Amino acid sequence: MSASRRRPGTGTSSTWCGCSCSSASTCSGAASPALTSREPTREPAWGTSPPAEDVIIAVETHTTPPERPAAGLARVALLSRCPRCGEGPLFDGFLTPTARCRACGLDTRFVDSGDGPAVFIILIVGFVVVVAALVTEVKVSPPYWVHAVLWLPLTLILSLGLLRPAKALMIALQYRHRAREGRLATPPPPSEDAP
């Protein structure tokens, strides 16, 4: 997030890229006197960097580091392994996630990939099979039963073969980015001074 000094006579500040924000939203409080007291200067040309003195940089950091570094996404997806340690199995059955990793003890109750893996697989496999069927029809023009014998098994094999790695990848991404189920923020309790 970057912001330049506040323009005299206005309640907003204009960043060097042209967007306007209030000083409270860009600086987490009132504008700095050092920034508001200076006279405005010419804005830099589009695509050029602003002068270093005009930029306030805020860095957002996570307060708690991950317990252990996350395992590689390719290893987790292809081998269906734990997203934290990369060792323990991720699934009990074909697509049922384990309750806890046997190697590192990661609690996998956060797992909720939903329909995401299935949707991606449907789109990818559908594209591959339809293009292959169209190319075969145009170049060879086989009877319809040949299409059924070729494309139905290929669709099943690709869909079932890619579903487990896709689900493991979605779970690993959830773990890596600390994605959780959406929750509504609870409003603060009313103050006793309020009428």
Side-chain angles (χ1 to χ4, degrees), residues 20 28 31 33 71 78 86 88 106 109 111 127 144 152-153 157 165 169 188 190 195:
S20 297
S28 301
L78 294 176
L106 175 68
R109 285 183 290 187
V111 171
F127 176 77
Y144 290 126
L152 290 177
I157 291 168
L169 178 65

Side-chain angles (χ1 to χ4, degrees), residues 138-189:
V138 169
K139 293 204 178 239
V140 180
S141 298
Y144 290 126
W145 66 267
V146 172
H147 281 293
V149 168
L150 287 175
W151 309 124
L152 290 177
L154 181 65
T155 302
L156 284 173
I157 291 168
L158 286 177
S159 297
L160 294 176
L162 293 175
L163 191 56
R164 188 173 162 124
K167 185 167 183 170
L169 178 65
M170 294 288 270
I171 291 170
L173 288 171
Q174 280 181 327
Y175 174 76
R176 179 168 286 181
H177 297 290
R178 295 184 182 138
R180 299 286 187 257
E181 186 175 322
R183 293 181 182 87
L184 295 175
T186 58

Side-chain angles (χ1 to χ4, degrees), residues 24-179:
S25 67
T26 59
C27 302
S28 301
S32 166
L35 292 179
T36 58
S37 64
R38 296 188 336 199
E39 290 298 316
T41 59
R42 201 182 99 200
E43 292 288 323
W46 180 256
T48 62
S49 297
E53 63 196 37
D54 289 346
V55 178
I56 299 170
I57 298 175
V59 177
E60 182 180 327
T61 60
H62 293 285
T63 56
T64 56
E67 298 160 355
R68 285 191 194 169
L73 289 177
R75 176 180 170 85
V76 169
L78 294 176
L79 300 177
S80 298
R81 296 295 178 195
C82 171
R84 179 170 34 178
C85 67
E87 298 300 322
L90 186 58
F91 299 110
D92 273 337
F94 183 63
L95 290 175
T96 307
T98 59
R100 232 174 233 295
C101 174
R102 294 180 198 146
C104 69
L106 175 68
D107 184 10
T108 57
R109 285 183 290 187
F110 71 89
V111 171
D112 182 24
S113 61
D115 294 334
V119 170
F120 287 123
I121 297 305
I122 287 169
L123 293 173
I124 293 167
V125 170
F127 176 77
V128 168
V129 170
V130 167
V131 168
L134 288 174
V135 167
T136 303
E137 179 63 33
V138 169
K139 293 204 178 239
V140 180
S141 298
Y144 290 126
W145 66 267
V146 172
H147 281 293
V149 168
L150 287 175
W151 309 124
L152 290 177
L154 181 65
T155 302
L156 284 173
I157 291 168
L158 286 177
S159 297
L160 294 176
L162 293 175
L163 191 56
R164 188 173 162 124
K167 185 167 183 170
L169 178 65
M170 294 288 270
I171 291 170
L173 288 171
Q174 280 181 327
Y175 174 76
R176 179 168 286 181
H177 297 290
R178 295 184 182 138

